[in-house]
Amino acid sequence: MTESDPLTADWTPAQIEVMHRLRDWVIDFGELNQHLATWMRLPGADANALSQIVWAAETGTPLSPVQLSRQIGMTTGATTILLNRLEAAGHVHRTRESTDRRRVTLRPTPAARQRAREFLGLAGTEIANVLHTTPPAELRTVATFLARMSAAADEANERLGRSS
């Protein structure tokens, strides 16, 4: 970790531009999540959680309730209440897939997965186009950069969590 003050350090125009574009993506992604919430007729937090659950299942890495809590920034108790709502509405189910029967895995229901896919088909056209038309080398560079930024943010979050 560097000893310079990140608020007073000299930033290059390129560094400032990158931070602005990252901020813009976070804002735009949040707005897309609000559209998903409207589409699914869910509160924003529930739609965010459901999208995390669907995405994890789609990539073959289903979440546990604790992992979901961390990703959506809620306590485990609040996440349990949210999951109860999603389960009662028929959007998710909890399974015990591990040999350790205490471990719970979150899975979207087929109907919720289908509804989310319909939304992605409607809302994701422009984003998919950018991904499909960006050269592979550029995608690798961006993915590497974003992984480093995420690792730095994770490190800062862990440090801040230890100090509070």
Side-chain angles (χ1 to χ4, degrees):
M1 185 167 78
T2 179
E3 295 299 317
S4 67
D5 181 349
L7 294 178
T8 60
D10 291 329
W11 291 77
T12 67
Q15 291 166 331
I16 293 168
E17 179 72 14
V18 166
M19 291 305 294
H20 282 295
R21 297 299 70 85
L22 288 170
R23 181 207 57 215
D24 292 347
W25 170 250
V26 168
I27 292 167
D28 291 339
F29 190 80
E31 190 174 349
L32 286 169
N33 190 67
Q34 287 303 313
H35 286 291
L36 173 65
T38 300
W39 176 264
M40 298 290 293
R41 294 185 177 95
L42 292 170
D46 292 27
N48 182 30
L50 181 59
S51 68
Q52 297 295 326
I53 293 165
V54 170
W55 186 257
E58 289 288 323
T59 60
T61 55
L63 297 172
S64 71
V66 171
Q67 290 168 316
L68 178 64
S69 292
R70 182 179 163 272
Q71 287 186 1
I72 63 175
M74 295 178 92
T75 65
T76 54
T79 300
T80 297
I81 293 167
L82 182 150
L83 287 170
N84 289 343
R85 284 194 309 264
L86 288 175
E87 196 168 39
H91 296 302
V92 299
H93 54 88
R94 299 172 230 202
T95 62
R96 297 197 188 308
E97 301 170 13
S98 171
T99 54
D100 180 351
R101 302 302 290 165
R102 295 170 295 178
R103 293 192 62 207
V104 173
T105 301
L106 304 171
R107 297 278 184 181
T109 62
R113 184 177 275 186
Q114 180 59 36
R115 189 84 171 128
R117 281 178 179 262
E118 289 169 7
F119 176 78
L120 191 56
L122 176 69
T125 304
E126 295 83 358
I127 294 168
N129 185 50
V130 170
L131 288 168
H132 291 301
T133 60
T134 300
E138 188 176 340
L139 289 173
R140 282 190 300 277
T141 299
V142 171
T144 299
F145 171 76
L146 291 174
R148 289 174 49 212
M149 289 297 283
S150 292
D154 287 344
E155 188 177 323
N157 282 321
E158 287 177 27
R159 180 176 41 76
L160 292 168
R162 288 190 303 270
S163 68
S164 57

